[in-house]
């Protein structure tokens, strides 16, 4: 018996592909909803960096039809992963030779 991996599907209507990308859509002030899309329904990387409007039709045949929210200035782009707890780090070099 195997446990199936959790595969998130594309949220485009009628699409059964698994998701390749995600972005956020505004639901209420202060809340956003993650939207998933397969590669054929994906929007551009630039567009995915923004929070999209509730009425945005992406992912879908017409793509993004909203005016995404501007990215707040001064928002740091996380380029490096956060520090991992002890024991979670991967050794930088593989051990050489047989133990
Ligand atoms: Zn799709
Ligand atoms: Zn949009």
């Amino acid at each position: 018996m195997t446990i199936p991996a959790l595969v998130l599907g594309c949220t485009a209507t009628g699409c059964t592909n698994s998701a390749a990308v995600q972005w956020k859509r505004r639901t209420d002030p202060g809340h956003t909803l993650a939207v998933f899309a397969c590669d054929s329904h994906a929007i551009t990387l630039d567009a995915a960096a923004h929070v999209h409007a509730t009425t945005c039709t992406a992912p879908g045949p017409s793509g993004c039809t909203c005016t995404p929210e501007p990215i707040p200035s001064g928002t740091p782009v996380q380029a490096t992963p956060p520090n991992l707890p002890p024991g979670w780090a991967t050794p930088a070099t593989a051990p050489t030779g047989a133990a």
Side-chain angles (χ1 to χ4, degrees):
M1 175 177 164
T2 56
I3 300 172
L6 176 63
V7 177
L8 293 164
C10 176
T11 40
T13 305
C15 182
T16 55
N17 295 332
S18 43
V21 298
Q22 79 167 84
W23 60 91
K24 288 178 179 172
R25 183 186 296 165
R26 179 69 61 196
T27 55
D28 297 304
H31 290 93
T32 55
L33 176 75
V35 180
F36 300 91
C38 68
D39 52 3
S40 56
H41 286 123
I43 56 176
T44 65
L45 181 62
D46 278 352
H50 295 257
V51 175
H52 288 252
T54 311
T55 54
C56 183
T57 54
S62 34
C64 172
T65 53
C66 78
T67 304
E69 296 179 14
I71 297 174
S73 61
T75 302
V77 176
Q78 187 172 322
T80 53
N83 291 331
L84 295 171
W88 283 70
T90 316
T93 54
T96 55

